[in-house]
Amino acid sequence: MAEFSFFDTEVLTDGEILLMLDKTVPGNPAEEWLPSYHFRICDREGHKVGHCDLRIGHNGKTYYGGNIGYGVEEPYRGNHYAGKACRLLFHLAKRHGMDDLIITCNPDNFPSRRTCEYVGGVLKEIVELPQDNDMRLEGETEKCIYEVVL
């Protein structure tokens, strides 16, 4: 297997938000962890409004957990910051040769479902998490699986 290389991504921006790199995490095949980038989502002035991450590649864990994760602090919600961050991450995923991504959320998380649809995600299915899945062990039971074709 070829060694994975991270791209230089100190700051990604669309003019409205900035994604500022916090860290990169190498993959761990034994744990089925994919290489990942972790960013702070910041407004134009550089104030942190949330976070996001991108996992490069596909495996059983990303089908349920997604290639992209995000969270926006409550005072900043309603500004499409998560969707704008996802769109910036799409460019990075393409640079890594990815053609599609999975984004997941809980079925009752309607703001996150709207974000998935806002970025062009298509709901593939709502699935019950496997009994041995980490999220299941933490009390979650189902996930909406959205696919985004890049």
Side-chain angles (χ1 to χ4, degrees):
M1 184 157 130
E3 188 171 320
F4 183 84
S5 295
F6 289 99
F7 291 116
D8 180 17
T9 59
E10 280 187 35
V11 177
L12 300 173
T13 185
D14 64 359
E16 293 184 55
I17 64 163
L18 311 166
L19 299 186
M20 300 178 76
L21 184 65
D22 278 332
K23 65 181 177 178
T24 57
V25 179
N28 181 336
E31 297 289 334
E32 288 189 79
W33 295 341
L34 296 171
S36 60
Y37 294 86
H38 298 259
F39 296 91
R40 283 169 282 147
I41 304 170
C42 300
D43 62 16
R44 281 187 194 130
E45 291 77 39
H47 301 108
K48 182 180 177 185
V49 301
H51 66 275
C52 62
D53 57 78
L54 172 66
R55 292 172 282 283
I56 304 298
H58 295 285
N59 64 18
K61 284 195 175 188
T62 57
Y63 188 76
Y64 298 108
N67 292 104
I68 291 178
Y70 50 78
V72 174
E73 303 295 327
E74 194 165 340
Y76 302 102
R77 292 179 184 165
N79 295 296
H80 295 293
Y81 289 143
K84 292 171 185 175
C86 287
R87 288 182 176 158
L88 288 170
L89 294 177
F90 293 170
H91 297 293
L92 182 56
K94 283 190 222 181
R95 287 180 65 196
H96 280 287
M98 296 184 72
D99 297 322
D100 60 87
L101 297 170
I102 298 293
I103 305 175
T104 69
C105 64
N106 291 340
D108 61 351
N109 185 341
F110 295 104
S112 192
R113 290 181 75 165
R114 283 191 296 277
T115 295
C116 291
E117 293 163 4
Y118 173 80
V119 300
V122 175
L123 181 63
K124 289 181 66 165
E125 61 180 333
I126 298 176
V127 297
E128 186 172 325
L129 290 170
Q131 293 298 323
D132 64 346
N133 182 279
D134 292 343
M135 292 178 288
R136 180 71 177 238
L137 298 174
E138 293 172 4
E140 297 184 46
T141 57
E142 292 182 309
K143 286 291 175 184
C144 294
I145 311 292
Y146 285 88
E147 181 178 35
V148 178
V149 176
L150 301 177

